[in-house]
Amino acid sequence: MYTRILVPIDGSEHAKQALSVACKLLDENATLYLLHVPEALSYTTTLVWGIGAVNAEATLAEREKAGEQLLQQAAKSAREQGAKQIEELLTQGDPVRVILDSANAFDIDTIVLGSRGLSNLGSVVIGSVSHKVSHSAKCGVITVRQ
């Protein structure tokens, strides 16, 4: 069991599965940190938890608003799965760097993230977020497949 778990939430089904796994790993008095990094996507995509579609041309403000809704819905889902203490984090920057910096800043025990997210095929060439995080994190990392 863990007392401080970080779950990056990008709106993908993989992130939703990662949240479910993280909720099962929480200790009774644990804190669950939900992190969203609004990214510009190269295509329109539909986010899970009923948030709807985010247009590829969405402004930063629109992506942040969708991110806030996503975090709220993820927190609601986590509470339904037994999480009691939840922190919602919305931060700009490179997702890998933000995840690693957040893990260090909040003294995270483990990061639970989906093996794939919403990023495009370019990530296959330059390396996925989950791959980079798992190789660079100072804490444990659990990668969840859908």
Side-chain angles (χ1 to χ4, degrees):
M1 300 298 255
Y2 299 96
T3 57
R4 301 171 82 76
I5 296 178
L6 175 66
V7 182
I9 302 291
D10 67 356
S12 68
E13 190 62 39
H14 287 264
K16 190 173 185 179
Q17 294 297 325
L19 179 61
S20 293
V21 169
C23 288
K24 292 174 184 162
L25 298 172
L26 287 170
D27 195 0
E28 172 123 358
N29 296 315
T31 302
L32 180 66
Y33 294 84
L34 303 176
L35 171 67
H36 178 71
V37 182
E39 287 187 273
L41 298 173
S42 58
Y43 56 91
T44 299
T45 189
T46 301
L47 303 177
V48 297
W49 286 299
I51 303 302
V54 174
N55 193 309
E57 291 85 32
T59 65
L60 175 59
E62 291 168 329
R63 292 192 315 268
E64 284 181 342
K65 183 178 178 187
E68 289 169 359
Q69 292 174 332
L70 186 62
L71 284 170
Q72 290 170 1
Q73 290 300 317
K76 179 182 175 195
S77 177
R79 280 187 204 89
E80 290 169 355
Q81 296 177 66
K84 295 180 179 129
Q85 297 179 52
I86 301 168
E87 296 287 332
E88 298 174 29
L89 310 166
L90 182 83
T91 307
Q92 294 294 324
D94 170 63
V96 173
R97 183 79 285 157
V98 169
I99 293 167
L100 295 172
D101 289 348
S102 297
N104 292 334
F106 295 102
D107 196 25
I108 297 297
D109 298 322
T110 194
I111 302 167
V112 181
L113 73 167
S115 61
R116 293 198 44 116
L118 295 177
S119 59
N120 61 25
L121 240 74
S123 67
V124 173
V125 176
I126 60 173
S128 69
V129 170
S130 60
H131 179 78
K132 290 178 181 177
V133 168
S134 67
H135 282 83
S136 301
K138 294 177 182 174
C139 63
V141 177
I142 299 171
T143 306
V144 178
R145 293 185 189 268
Q146 187 178 3

